[in-house]
Structure formats: structure tokens, C-alpha cells
Amino acid sequence: LDCIDDIMKSPPKKHRLITTEELSERLRSSEDRPLVVDTRPEYEYRNAHIAGAVLIPFNKFRVEFDRLPRNRAIVVTCHFGKYSIVAANKLTQAGYKRVYDYAAGMEEWNRLKKPVATGMPKDTLQQTGSAKTAAFNWARGSDGDERTVYLDYNATTPLDPRVLDCMMPFLTNKFGNAASLTHSFGTDAERAVHDAREKVASAIGAASSNEIVFTSGATESNNLAIKGIAHRLKSTGNHIITCVTEHKAVLDPCMSLERQGFDVTRLGVGEDGLIRIEDLVGAFRPTTILVSVMLANNEIGVVQPFRRIGELCHERGIVYHTDGTQGVGKVKLDVAADKIDLMSISAHKIYGPKGAGALYVRSSVELESQIDG
């Protein structure tokens, strides 16, 4: 509403309307191909949009539009015209010279069966950080600007459109609390959570979906696993073994436990980035209660000998935790057969949403609760 009010205070500037056939013809042309900008409320992007369009949510248009190239023709559209006219007016006010309003919108484009794309494409401005920069560099096309490509998928990945499609019902009309089982809203949500647990369990070879604990991400999973075991088993031992190349989400909980009186051994790695099995064997003590060695490294990609580590731990009755964040979905896993007792998982590393994760907890393992209530 602020955006509309801001724009409508000034008299409208001149911009041309463009017909469906004219737009379709110009998009097929290799010369002076216009940039299509689709602006509308974020939830409407679940529907189809013109293939190749850059998406700028309408509520962000005021702060995002000035990164659009000024030396290309720009066609603004939306679903059926009410947002595109406002956005086109804003562009012309800002000095963009060749602005067109495709007022017929996606309603007309779909009716005439023109080329469309669905979901949230990688070049949408819904992405953040480097992906957003990549969107605008893609939009500049052949204007000579250097393009930016985001390659750090160990840090995070974009949300897969299929994941978004699965999530949207539970973010909109199926909004029930999964703990409220006295009505259909709650039971529908509870069933969805159960199904999600089943899928995660199946993906990693867990014996039961009851071994999957959902968390807010790998950091919470690592803290729950490491501190939960340490506090549960402190009467039997106080020694923990980890590795110098672990993620901070493992190293920092270990440091915290050291301040509480636990003893932590940090194994070194060779030139190949792997721990030496003989170093692990030499580090075992009668008081060792936990080994935490990641499955795959987030910086150099090496896969630790997790199966052998699991065997050695189980032979000695020691709990084995692995941060599986970088391995799940990439490395063949069977947590039951691989003798993994605890494994941390993060959704946003494998095309899922941020703020969602899981901890696999073997049924024979008990953790001390870290959050009460």
C-alpha cells in the first residue's frame, strides 16, 4: 500500500502498452530482446510466469527496481495488470526510457498458451545474497557486464520449487498445530509431520521414523547430540573425541563442555584432510563416552571413514555422532548398518528451507534434554 501511495502522488508518466502478440514476437527476436519483469505479491509466484522473466515481489519493487539495466527495453507485467501499471509508472518516473506495460498479464498469456515457467526460478529476486546479484547480472544479458555465478552450495542452496509446492498448503490454508489432535486442522498437520519423518528415516536407513527428531537446523542438532550425550553419560565418563576440521557447530559445544569439566581430544588430519584411524584408536580411553567426527567436510569435501569409525566405537560401547550436513543426499548412507548413533541434518543444504533440520537418534541412545517446556 505504501508503494502504491508513493507512486500515485505524482502524475503518471508516459509508458507504452504492449500486446501479447507484440511481446511474444519481441521475445523470439535475437535483437533488442526486452527484459520481462514480473511484479506481484509473493504468494502469486506459485502460479506460472513468462519464461525467462525476472521476478520482483511488488512489496520490494521500490527498493529493488533501480538495479535493473537502463539500456534495455523493460516490459512490466503481473497476473492481470493492477500491479504492472504502478511498477511501469515508477520506472518511467525514475528515468527509464523504454518501459512497456503488458497489462493483459499472465491471465491472457496463459489463455493463449504462450511459453511459461513455474515455481521459483534461480534468477528470481526472491533469492538473497549472491543469488540476487546473479539474477540482475543475468538480466543484463549481453550488455557486456560480467556475470556472477553462485557456486557455494555447501553454504546453502536455493529452495527447490517442488519443496515450495509441498510447503505452501501448510503455510496457508492447512495451518493447524500438529499437537492439537482434537480437530482436523491439527490431525492433518500431524499426519504431514509423520509423513515427513518417514521420508527422512527412509532416506538415511533409519530403523524407525521415531528415531528422527526435527530441529531448527544442524547447529541445534549438533548441540543436542553432543551436550545431550555428555550430560546423560557424565556419571560413566567425561572424555570426548572430535576433529580439528569440524564445523564450529561441533567445536564450540565441545569447548563449552570443556568449561564444565569435560576432557576433549581433537584429532589432527593428514594432507588429504582425513583423520588417521590409528590416531583415533590411540585416543580412546576407558572414560571416552562420545566420538563426533563429521561425515563430509564443508570446505574441502573429503568424506571421513565414517563406517570404520562406527565399527570401532561400537566395539567399545562408545556413542558415535556424525555431522551429516554435507553428506546426506550425496553420500550413500545406512545409519543402522554404518553403526552411526547420532547424525545431524540440515534442510537448506539440500534444496530445503532454512530453519529446518533433524537429528537421527538411534533407539538405544538416550539424550539429556537441552530445552524444557
Side-chain angles (χ1 to χ4, degrees), residues 224-243:
L224 176 57
I226 295 167
K227 294 177 180 177
I229 279 294
H231 293 150
R232 172 66 69 174
L233 300 181
K234 63 184 177 182
S235 62
T236 63
N238 72 336
H239 181 230
I240 297 168
I241 300 173
T242 187
C243 174

Side-chain angles (χ1 to χ4, degrees), residues 17-20 23 38-40 48-50 75-84 101-112 114 116:
L17 292 176
I18 189 170
T19 66
T20 302
L23 175 57
D38 190 327
T39 183
R40 43 178 146 160
H49 49 81
I50 295 174
V75 176
V76 188
T77 189
C78 59
H79 186 59
F80 51 82
K82 64 179 180 179
Y83 299 104
S84 63
D101 178 11
Y102 178 51
M106 288 308 303
E107 197 168 86
E108 176 76 2
W109 192 265
N110 287 330
R111 187 181 68 80
L112 296 177
K114 299 296 182 179
V116 298

Side-chain angles (χ1 to χ4, degrees), residues 212-231:
I212 305 301
V213 177
F214 285 125
T215 66
S216 61
T219 297
E220 182 183 346
S221 296
N222 287 332
N223 274 265
L224 176 57
I226 295 167
K227 294 177 180 177
I229 279 294
H231 293 150

Side-chain angles (χ1 to χ4, degrees), residues 122-188:
K122 291 178 182 177
D123 52 334
T124 173
L125 301 185
Q126 289 290 90
Q127 306 288 345
T128 59
S130 296
K132 183 183 286 185
T133 303
F136 278 99
N137 283 333
W138 171 88
R140 293 186 179 101
S142 59
D143 293 340
D145 290 355
E146 183 178 340
R147 296 186 181 186
T148 301
V149 179
Y150 185 83
L151 297 176
D152 192 7
Y153 275 33
N154 278 0
T156 193
T157 59
L159 187 69
D160 190 292
R162 293 166 294 181
V163 177
L164 179 64
D165 288 342
C166 289
M167 291 174 60
M168 283 307 298
F170 301 98
L171 300 177
T172 52
N173 57 312
K174 293 186 177 182
F175 54 84
N177 185 335
S180 301
L181 303 180
T182 57
H183 48 69
S184 61
F185 289 93
T187 55
D188 285 349

Side-chain angles (χ1 to χ4, degrees), residues 45-349:
Y45 287 129
R46 287 178 292 157
N47 303 319
H49 49 81
I50 295 174
V54 169
L55 313 186
I56 307 181
F58 185 72
N59 65 320
K60 299 176 182 177
F61 195 86
R62 271 195 306 181
V63 295
E64 299 284 9
F65 79 89
D66 62 349
R67 295 173 64 192
L68 291 169
R70 291 179 176 268
N71 55 348
R72 284 185 71 177
I74 295 177
V75 176
V76 188
T77 189
C78 59
H79 186 59
F80 51 82
K82 64 179 180 179
Y83 299 104
S84 63
I85 187 172
V86 176
N89 192 27
K90 180 64 177 176
L91 289 175
T92 52
Q93 285 180 27
Y96 284 77
K97 301 301 183 185
R98 294 186 296 158
V99 180
Y100 302 83
D101 178 11
Y102 178 51
M106 288 308 303
E107 197 168 86
E108 176 76 2
W109 192 265
N110 287 330
R111 187 181 68 80
L112 296 177
K113 295 182 169 51
K114 299 296 182 179
V116 298
T118 57
M120 301 296 290
K122 291 178 182 177
D123 52 334
T124 173
L125 301 185
Q126 289 290 90
Q127 306 288 345
T128 59
S130 296
K132 183 183 286 185
T133 303
F136 278 99
N137 283 333
W138 171 88
R140 293 186 179 101
S142 59
D143 293 340
D145 290 355
E146 183 178 340
R147 296 186 181 186
T148 301
V149 179
Y150 185 83
L151 297 176
D152 192 7
Y153 275 33
N154 278 0
T156 193
T157 59
L159 187 69
D160 190 292
R162 293 166 294 181
V163 177
L164 179 64
D165 288 342
C166 289
M167 291 174 60
M168 283 307 298
F170 301 98
L171 300 177
T172 52
N173 57 312
K174 293 186 177 182
F175 54 84
N177 185 335
S180 301
L181 303 180
T182 57
H183 48 69
S184 61
F185 289 93
T187 55
D188 285 349
E190 191 275 337
R191 190 178 303 112
V193 172
H194 174 76
D195 290 345
R197 275 203 181 90
E198 290 278 1
K199 290 176 180 177
V200 174
S202 175
I204 63 173
S208 167
S209 62
N210 293 329
E211 296 178 322
I212 305 301
V213 177
F214 285 125
T215 66
S216 61
T219 297
E220 182 183 346
S221 296
N222 287 332
N223 274 265
L224 176 57
I226 295 167
K227 294 177 180 177
I229 279 294
H231 293 150
R232 172 66 69 174
L233 300 181
K234 63 184 177 182
S235 62
T236 63
N238 72 336
H239 181 230
I240 297 168
I241 300 173
T242 187
C243 174
V244 295
T245 56
E246 293 293 311
H247 192 278
K248 275 176 60 66
V250 168
L251 294 175
D252 286 0
C254 289
M255 289 177 62
S256 174
L257 290 171
E258 278 185 310
R259 292 192 292 270
Q260 298 173 39
F262 288 85
D263 193 4
V264 178
T265 296
R266 297 168 180 84
L267 300 175
V269 297
E271 291 182 354
D272 56 3
L274 300 175
I275 67 166
R276 297 290 177 256
I277 290 298
E278 56 268 29
D279 291 345
L280 174 61
V281 173
F284 285 130
R285 304 176 191 171
T287 56
T288 304
I289 55 175
L290 173 68
V291 171
S292 181
V293 176
M294 62 171 36
L295 197 154
N297 189 274
N298 55 298
E299 294 185 4
I300 58 176
V302 296
V303 178
Q304 295 289 354
F306 60 93
R307 295 185 180 92
R308 183 59 180 147
I309 296 172
E311 291 173 357
L312 292 170
C313 288
H314 274 227
E315 289 171 2
R316 294 162 173 79
I318 297 169
V319 175
Y320 173 38
H321 164 254
T322 187
D323 182 351
T325 303
Q326 301 296 344
V328 173
K330 306 168 190 175
V331 177
K332 187 176 181 181
L333 280 173
D334 186 329
V335 288
D338 297 335
K339 296 180 171 54
I340 296 171
D341 297 306
L342 299 161
M343 185 169 73
S344 305
I345 305 170
S346 180
H348 76 97
K349 309 291 188 179

